[in-house]
């Protein structure tokens, strides 16, 4: 079963995953408002049909292994059981999504009174959804009957296989939870380290501010010392000049510097 890309007047068909004639959905261009919703329904329905096909393959593998359950490897069967349960969950979620989309669009069309072409297209999509849903239900019924037969024959797959698979799933969830907690603890430690670095940088910044304040407060004293040194130099030069003048006037024999 395949579904139309709602962009024009094209159509396509693929054979269903298990028996029956292929289903073709042909949709012509629709009003812009309805086309967007129909595109979403079509894509979701196509995804739903593909997952049902995957479920069909898993069920086929389960039924094949059940015929030779005594010789089949236990780990392979447990893996198939886990895959089956996971696929059933996915199909259930997708089925609920498609059903909700179709229901919402039907309600909108009833309120807005859209054209008959959109209504016809929506009816076809709803019919296709019901067919795929019946196929999924039939596959699940097949597995249920197989398990009942195995239980009657003393091969209780639901306890030996399903429960074991469920326990493995729980263990995986616990391991994942522990890993998440460890990752969260590491993130907290790194965050605390970053905060410590920030505090250290703040302290260094405060030290530099204090040093700048000290230098600024002592600048006046440094300037006063520098002024006194300049005055002393000027006085020394003036005194030397006076001595030279006295030496020139009185002669070197009469000028004594004590």
């Amino acid at each position: 079963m395949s579904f139309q890309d709602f962009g024009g007047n094209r159509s396509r068909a693929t054979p269903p995953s298990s028996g029956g004639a292929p289903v073709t959905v042909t949709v012509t261009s629709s009003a812009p408002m309805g086309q967007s919703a129909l595109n979403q329904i079509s894509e979701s329905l196509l995804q739903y049909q593909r997952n049902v096909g995957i479920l069909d393959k898993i069920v086929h593998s389960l039924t094949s292994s059940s015929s030779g359950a005594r010789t089949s490897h236990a780990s392979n069967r447990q893996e198939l059981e886990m895959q089956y349960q996971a696929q059933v969950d996915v199909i259930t979620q997708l089925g609920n999504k498609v059903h909700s989309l179709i229901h919402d669009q039907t309600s909108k069309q009833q309120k807005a009174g859209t054209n008959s072409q959109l209504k016809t297209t929506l009816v076809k999509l709803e019919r296709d959804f019901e067919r795929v849903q019946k196929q999924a239900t039939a596959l699940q019924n097949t597995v249920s009957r197989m398990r009942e037969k195995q239980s009657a024959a003393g091969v209780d797959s639901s306890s030996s296989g399903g429960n074991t698979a469920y326990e493995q799933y729980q263990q995986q969830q616990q391991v994942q939870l522990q890993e998440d907690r460890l990752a969260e603890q590491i993130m907290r430690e790194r965050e605390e380290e970053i905060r410590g670095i920030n505090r250290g940088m703040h302290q260094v910044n405060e030290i530099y501010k204090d040093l700048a304040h000290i230098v600024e407060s002592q600048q006046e004293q440094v300037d006063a010392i520098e002024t006194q040194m300049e005055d002393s130099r000027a006085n020394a030069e003036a005194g030397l000049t006076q001595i030279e003048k006295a030496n020139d006037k009185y002669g070197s024999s009469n000028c004594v510097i004590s």
Side-chain angles (χ1 to χ4, degrees), residues 137-149:
T137 302
L139 291 172
Q140 295 181 54
N141 291 336
T142 299
V143 175
S144 298
R145 289 193 297 269
M146 178 195 68
R147 288 176 174 175
E148 290 176 358
K149 291 181 180 179

Side-chain angles (χ1 to χ4, degrees), residues 119-134:
K119 184 176 180 181
T120 302
T121 301
L122 187 60
V123 170
K124 290 181 180 180
L125 289 174
E126 186 175 7
R127 187 184 304 117
D128 292 338
F129 169 65
E130 291 176 353
R131 292 177 183 176
V132 180
Q133 193 176 37
K134 288 180 181 179

Side-chain angles (χ1 to χ4, degrees), residues 3-6 38-46 125:
F3 307 97
Q4 174 64 23
D5 294 330
F6 294 94
L38 292 179
N39 282 337
Q40 186 178 7
I41 295 174
S42 176
E43 292 298 329
S44 299
L45 186 53
L46 180 59
L125 289 174

Side-chain angles (χ1 to χ4, degrees), residues 63-111:
T63 54
S64 299
S65 63
S66 65
S67 60
R70 295 181 179 178
T71 59
S72 62
H73 202 279
S75 61
N76 293 337
R77 182 163 185 81
Q78 293 174 3
E79 183 178 357
L80 287 174
E81 290 283 354
M82 292 178 64
Q83 293 177 357
Y84 169 78
Q85 189 59 44
Q87 195 63 25
V88 168
D89 294 339
V90 171
I91 288 175
T92 301
Q93 294 178 4
L94 288 174
N96 293 335
K97 178 182 178 181
V98 175
H99 181 269
S100 177
L101 290 173
I102 293 176
H103 180 268
D104 292 343
Q105 186 61 20
T106 302
S107 300
K108 291 179 180 179
Q109 288 188 3
Q110 289 177 353
K111 293 179 180 180

